[in-house]
Amino acid sequence: MKYTLCSLALLTGAFALMPHAALAADAQINVDCNFSHMKPDDAILMPNMPGMAMSHDFVGNRSSDAFSTAESLLLHSGTTCDNAADSTAYWVPTMMLPDGTIVNPTYIKNYYQANNVLEYPITPYPHGLQLLAGDHKGTGPNPHVSFLCANGNGYTNTANQICGLRAAGDAVQFNIGVMFPDCWDGKNLKAKGTNNAVYSNNNGQCPADHPVKLAKVNMNIAYVLPQIKSLDVSKIQLSLDPKIIDGNLTPLWGSIYTAHGDFMNAWTEDATKFMADRCMNYKMDCGTNIPYSYSDAEADTYVSNQTDSDKNFGTVPTLLVQDNWNSPGRDQNKQILALMKFKIPALPANIDDYPGVSFKYKIRVFDGNTTDNTAVSIFFYPTDPGSWDENTVTWNNKPAFKYTADGSIYMDNVQQFRYVDVDKAVRAALAAGKTEVAYYIGGERNGRTITVNSRESGKTPTLMLIGYQKVVEP
């Protein structure tokens, strides 16, 4: 039996790894993960029984084995996924090609998706939730498992196809899509013997006996195979649980219809809350912008000169920003500055578990130019977080600052979430022993009015710590 790790080659394009269900979702995030390791372990169906399960290919958490629990995954949270907030363990059966070669996934792309979230919003993933999808005893097509030859034929539930070289001409690429259930019973975290999760209907509604709607994990497993020119999908085999034959534990293999996936949640708590409540329930595609941790603005307001110089705006739902540096001068023109203050989210205590991960601090705000459709920039000027109170600060007693920005946001008149990189400044504050940062937001210097949603609006300004590493998608 020959063994090779799927080699790296050029990807045919993002669409090659996006099944029809991914295109239909009205809210989603995505996580890419490289292959981690192969073991005959299964912490869900055969917990604490190392070597007794079918051979599995693991991605995500590097520590995954037969003894894994939600607590152990977070304790040893190093991950092969691009988002460091995701220490989830994902695993699938090992694949054998028709010629007997065992291959591992080159990478896996996970879409977390939901439909009709305005009517049926999702709930954050509970810590330690286990999910199963597919059928390791399957003998025919499964509506939740699909196959793709990445040479233009699209996803199908049947195995009667031959994969040729993909468009780049460098490799055969074969993908398996596994859709996990998205309706939890609200009680059982463990999947073994509980039927703890089922699928929502086409409207995104969950049944009464499984009322908790979750983001649906659409796992897409990509095998990039430069060593072959074609692949008969019907002759692919996947690992099955071994049996004792003549006193020996003997590996067994089944058809491609035994494809399935396992999921043990180990996202950080902040990440799952943000995914549901700050992203997908807004009917958004947040891509990879899911934080490891975050803090909402603990105070925000704005101050205005001239006739409003003694007024406080600490409870308004919309912050205003206006700045005009034209003649006769900034101080003589109307000027409105927003203020916001954050506690700094701590870096991971086990930072050594994240080799290759770049952690960055970003502020997310919901804003836009309300004067016209001109694209403009607003600027974030640092100030002392301890020198003002949102309920008493006015233009007349505002804290001092300099017009030297830590970051800026380029925007047009579309009201939407935008991000500003403040990593350098926040790290400097941490190095100085500070636990908070505060900013003025200054306008685009030509008198246009910018609106920024405040923490009273429901779309709260947020200081995010995002950890990201590159995942190779050849």
Side-chain angles (χ1 to χ4, degrees):
M1 183 179 294
K2 295 179 287 183
Y3 171 81
T4 61
L5 179 66
C6 294
S7 301
L8 304 182
L10 296 174
L11 182 61
T12 58
F15 184 80
L17 201 58
M18 185 176 287
H20 297 302
L23 298 175
D26 60 18
Q28 72 175 30
I29 67 119
N30 59 272
V31 183
D32 293 3
C33 311
N34 280 139
F35 171 73
S36 177
H37 58 279
M38 182 174 68
K39 280 188 175 182
D41 287 359
D42 189 332
I44 294 179
L45 295 179
M46 292 187 179
N48 305 314
M49 299 173 63
M52 299 302 293
M54 70 183 71
S55 178
H56 283 111
D57 292 332
F58 291 84
V59 302
N61 196 293
R62 293 189 180 95
S63 71
S64 306
D65 60 20
F67 301 100
S68 291
T69 64
E71 289 69 30
S72 74
L73 295 178
L74 287 179
L75 182 64
H76 305 288
S77 48
T79 179
T80 66
C81 297
D82 57 5
N83 192 324
D86 185 12
S87 293
T88 298
Y90 307 90
W91 62 95
V92 296
T94 299
M95 178 186 292
M96 184 166 62
L97 300 179
D99 67 357
T101 302
I102 293 177
V103 293
N104 305 118
T106 309
Y107 64 98
I108 288 182
K109 184 182 285 287
N110 294 311
Y111 296 93
Y112 285 72
Q113 302 172 310
N115 286 316
N116 206 6
V117 290
L118 299 184
E119 186 173 359
Y120 305 113
I122 65 170
T123 297
Y125 267 89
H127 176 60
L129 180 67
Q130 301 174 2
L131 296 174
L132 300 172
D135 183 359
H136 70 281
K137 298 181 180 179
T139 58
N142 185 312
H144 307 300
V145 177
S146 55
F147 312 114
L148 172 74
C149 291
N151 54 352
N153 294 330
Y155 274 87
T156 177
N157 298 109
T158 60
N160 57 342
Q161 59 179 319
I162 305 292
C163 295
L165 293 174
R166 59 186 184 178
D170 60 335
V172 169
Q173 180 174 336
F174 174 67
N175 299 344
I176 300 176
V178 179
M179 185 75 78
F180 285 83
D182 58 336
C183 297
W184 181 44
D185 64 11
K187 298 176 291 186
N188 295 295
L189 293 174
K190 293 185 176 181
K192 184 178 180 179
T194 65
N195 191 33
N196 66 338
V198 299
Y199 292 88
S200 61
N201 64 20
N202 290 336
N203 292 324
Q205 182 181 18
C206 289
D209 56 352
H210 289 75
V212 182
K213 186 178 178 182
L214 307 169
K216 183 180 293 184
V217 181
N218 184 349
M219 176 192 288
N220 295 274
I221 310 130
Y223 302 85
V224 180
L225 308 165
Q227 70 270 37
I228 60 176
K229 301 294 185 182
S230 66
L231 176 63
D232 187 339
V233 175
S234 68
K235 295 181 179 178
I236 293 173
Q237 291 186 290
L238 300 176
S239 60
L240 299 176
D241 287 329
K243 288 186 177 181
I244 296 177
I245 301 175
D246 296 330
N248 297 313
L249 191 64
T250 304
L252 299 178
W253 297 85
S255 80
I256 191 66
Y257 290 124
T258 63
H260 61 278
D262 297 63
F263 168 98
M264 185 180 288
N265 176 43
W267 284 86
T268 65
E269 183 178 357
D270 272 9
T272 59
K273 289 193 300 183
F274 193 96
M275 184 193 308
D277 299 333
R278 305 300 179 87
C279 173
M280 294 179 69
N281 284 338
Y282 288 154
K283 202 174 180 181
M284 291 174 58
D285 182 344
C286 288
T288 59
N289 284 309
I290 301 298
Y292 178 92
S293 58
Y294 68 93
S295 64
D296 290 333
E298 55 183 336
D300 57 17
T301 184
Y302 68 88
V303 293
S304 179
N305 68 353
Q306 298 180 358
T307 58
D308 293 327
S309 63
D310 62 347
K311 292 182 181 179
N312 173 263
F313 300 95
T315 60
V316 296
T318 303
L319 309 178
L320 300 180
V321 176
Q322 187 181 51
D323 205 356
N324 189 344
W325 291 29
N326 297 314
S327 179
R330 183 184 68 237
D331 294 335
Q332 288 72 41
N333 292 325
K334 184 66 175 177
Q335 192 173 8
I336 307 173
L337 296 166
L339 276 163
M340 53 185 59
K341 183 189 308 185
F342 305 92
K343 290 189 180 299
I344 302 175
L347 289 162
N350 56 338
I351 194 71
D352 291 341
D353 273 354
Y354 297 95
V357 174
S358 174
F359 283 96
K360 288 189 176 295
Y361 287 98
K362 296 182 180 180
I363 292 175
R364 185 179 87 154
V365 291
F366 191 86
D367 58 12
N369 173 13
T370 59
T371 298
D372 53 32
N373 61 2
T374 302
V376 299
S377 294
I378 58 173
F379 301 89
F380 285 69
Y381 306 114
T383 189
D384 180 7
S387 62
W388 58 278
D389 182 287
E390 72 170 353
N391 296 311
T392 59
V393 67
T394 68
W395 184 269
N396 292 335
N397 65 9
K398 68 184 185 299
F401 73 101
K402 296 180 180 179
Y403 284 100
T404 303
D406 281 350
S408 63
I409 295 178
Y410 190 66
M411 70 177 69
D412 55 18
N413 62 333
V414 177
Q415 301 291 313
Q416 64 182 36
F417 285 107
R418 295 181 174 90
Y419 304 83
V420 56
D421 185 340
V422 292
D423 187 68
K424 183 178 179 180
V426 173
R427 287 180 183 271
L430 287 172
K434 297 179 180 179
T435 59
E436 294 178 308
V437 290
Y439 287 96
Y440 277 105
I441 303 179
E444 47 71 63
R445 303 176 182 177
N446 287 293
R448 294 181 179 86
T449 299
I450 311 300
T451 61
V452 181
N453 280 40
S454 77
R455 67 195 188 110
E456 285 82 6
S457 73
K459 294 181 177 177
T460 307
T462 305
L463 177 60
M464 307 162 61
L465 176 64
I466 299 178
Y468 188 83
Q469 65 182 332
K470 184 176 179 58
V471 165
V472 178
E473 296 183 19

